[in-house]
């Protein structure tokens, strides 16, 4: 039972901590790709052992963990290509400069730091009676696009993705402070019809005060709780970039993490000793929106059209043909 709950926790986490951070800040490879479909080395976050897995099996496991398998096949193809690109970029970077904590692996299966991934055993536990159909669908999708990778300047991109945008995706510079040419805002109207596009979270003033004081014991809050919080800056896409809490200041992402909000695109109001946060979207908002991708697929767009919409100026190539 404990292991099953761990699997459920992984699937819940992945929609909030979708990959990009381990890639941001590292210099991308500029030489021709040489890894092709060689196996990946993965550090198991539980056992701390490194295991080797074929590229095909890894992408199937990542697809089963990262996107609802009920989505349209073209959206699933886009996710599979993004998953392979993500893994390949990390592998290429590790061949240049190794990360000590990975113990020789290319990346780990820890969804808090890297892309989520299900082993067959984990997928069986998660999908239950629907495992066989789910696995066969994922396998068919992956086999149809395996080897295709998203490139920018002849290097695998940082294929960031998230669950639901605010209706327009976010720039990497806003979220991670690094300007990346292919991670720019893109209109994603399909997100507006996604489940829980808008959500609310109520935080009692006593709880909010306690959390703020735990973060900064010297914080000074105004006498009136209604004056405690003030959003002072937002991005073009609507992400809160600065919010004042008394005499302290936070980024929207810092505040989102502090209070467990679904995104950093939010408004805040105060009434009856409660603060109400109203958020749009789910996740960091950078790169491909999964629900937006599904809406595009249902409207007739191909996986290549989806990827080129969310990642500006990229090309999609089949490295098995190089």
């Amino acid at each position: 039972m404990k292991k099953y709950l761990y699997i459920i926790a992984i699937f819940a986490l992945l929609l909030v901590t979708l990959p990009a951070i381990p890639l941001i800040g590292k210099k991308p490879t500029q030489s021709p790709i040489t890894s092709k479909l060689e196996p990946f080395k993965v550090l198991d976050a539980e056992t701390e052992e490194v295991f080797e897995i074929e590229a095909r099996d890894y992408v199937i496991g990542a697809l089963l963990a990262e996107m609802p398998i009920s989505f349209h096949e073209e959206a699933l193809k886009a996710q599979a290509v993004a998953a392979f690109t993500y893994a390949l970029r990390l592998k290429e970077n590790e061949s240049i400069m190794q990360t000590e904590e990975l113990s020789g692996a290319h990346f780990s299966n820890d969804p808090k730091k890297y892309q989520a991934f299900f082993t067959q055993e984990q997928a069986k536990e998660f999908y239950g009676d629907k495992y066989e159909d789910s696995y066969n669908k994922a396998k068919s999708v992956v086999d149809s696009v395996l080897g295709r990778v998203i490139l920018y300047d002849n290097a695998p991109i940082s294929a960031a993705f998230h669950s639901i945008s605010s209706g327009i995706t976010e720039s990497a510079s806003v979220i991670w402070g690094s300007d990346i040419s292919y991670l720019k805002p893109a209109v994603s109207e399909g997100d507006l019809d996604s489940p829980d596009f808008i959500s609310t979270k109520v935080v009692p003033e006593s709880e909010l005060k306690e959390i703020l004081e735990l973060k900064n014991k010297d914080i000074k809050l105004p006498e009136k709780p209604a004056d405690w919080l003030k959003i002072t800056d937002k991005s073009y896409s609507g992400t809160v970039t600065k919010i004042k809490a008394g005499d302290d200041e936070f980024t929207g992402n810092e505040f989102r993490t502090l209070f467990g909000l679904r995104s950093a695109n939010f408004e805040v109001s105060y009434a009856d000793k409660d603060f109400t946060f109203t958020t749009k979207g789910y996740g960091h908002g950078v790169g491909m929106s999964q629900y937006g991708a599904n809406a595009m697929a249902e409207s007739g767009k191909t996986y290549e059209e989806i990827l080129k919409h969310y990642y500006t100026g990229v090309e999609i190539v089949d490295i098995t043909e190089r």
Side-chain angles (χ1 to χ4, degrees), residues 14 17-26 28 58-59 62 66-67 77-91 93 113-116 148-152 155-163 170 172 176 180-184 284-290 306-308 310-312 314-316:
L14 65 90
T17 57
L18 298 170
I21 293 178
L23 304 182
I24 301 298
K26 283 194 174 185
Y58 175 78
V59 178
E66 290 288 10
M67 178 178 271
K77 289 177 184 178
Q79 183 69 56
V81 174
F84 177 64
T85 301
Y86 171 83
L88 189 60
R89 178 184 171 99
L90 282 176
K91 181 177 181 178
N93 281 338
K113 297 180 180 179
Y114 296 92
Q115 183 165 239
R148 290 173 175 81
V149 60
I150 314 164
L151 302 182
Y152 187 88
I157 71 166
S158 175
F161 55 90
H162 56 282
S163 181
E170 191 51 270
W176 297 301
I180 300 177
S181 298
Y182 50 82
L183 293 178
K184 301 294 186 182
H284 51 60
V286 181
M288 183 178 71
S289 162
Q290 293 178 316
I306 293 169
L307 292 172
K308 288 180 178 180
Y310 287 109
Y311 304 115
T312 306
V314 301
E315 61 176 329
I316 301 166

Side-chain angles (χ1 to χ4, degrees), residues 11 57-69 75-81 83 115-118 127 134 137-142 290:
F11 204 76
D57 294 331
Y58 175 78
V59 178
I60 291 172
L63 181 61
L64 287 168
E66 290 288 10
M67 178 178 271
I69 202 65
L76 290 167
K77 289 177 184 178
Q79 183 69 56
V81 174
Q115 183 165 239
F117 165 78
F118 280 163
Y127 285 99
S134 299
K137 183 175 181 180
K139 181 176 65 172
S140 175
V141 165
V142 171
Q290 293 178 316

Side-chain angles (χ1 to χ4, degrees), residues 194-205:
S194 62
D196 300 322
F197 169 67
I198 294 179
S199 62
T200 59
K201 181 170 185 177
V202 177
V203 181
E205 67 176 56

Side-chain angles (χ1 to χ4, degrees), residues 275-291:
F275 288 89
T276 299
F277 295 92
T278 303
T279 61
K280 290 182 180 179
Y282 191 14
H284 51 60
V286 181
M288 183 178 71
S289 162
Q290 293 178 316
Y291 276 87

Side-chain angles (χ1 to χ4, degrees), residues 111-224:
K112 296 188 295 295
K113 297 180 180 179
Y114 296 92
Q115 183 165 239
F117 165 78
F118 280 163
T119 63
Q120 284 199 36
E121 180 184 348
Q122 290 171 330
K124 285 177 182 177
E125 290 190 51
F126 182 82
Y127 285 99
D129 293 341
K130 296 181 179 179
Y131 166 74
E132 188 172 343
D133 288 341
S134 299
Y135 180 82
N136 286 337
K137 183 175 181 180
K139 181 176 65 172
S140 175
V141 165
V142 171
D143 284 344
S144 70
V145 296
L146 187 61
R148 290 173 175 81
V149 60
I150 314 164
L151 302 182
Y152 187 88
D153 281 349
N154 203 37
I157 71 166
S158 175
F161 55 90
H162 56 282
S163 181
I164 307 169
S165 81
S166 65
I168 180 169
T169 64
E170 191 51 270
S171 169
S173 62
V174 170
I175 302 300
W176 297 301
S178 296
D179 186 37
I180 300 177
S181 298
Y182 50 82
L183 293 178
K184 301 294 186 182
V187 173
S188 188
E189 294 178 349
D191 288 312
L192 304 181
D193 297 322
S194 62
D196 300 322
F197 169 67
I198 294 179
S199 62
T200 59
K201 181 170 185 177
V202 177
V203 181
E205 67 176 56
S206 58
E207 181 181 336
L208 185 134
K209 184 174 186 289
E210 181 181 2
I211 291 173
L212 288 174
E213 289 178 340
L214 283 173
K215 181 68 175 177
N216 177 5
K217 62 182 179 62
D218 297 321
I219 192 171
K220 292 181 176 59
L221 298 172
E223 183 178 345
K224 296 180 180 180

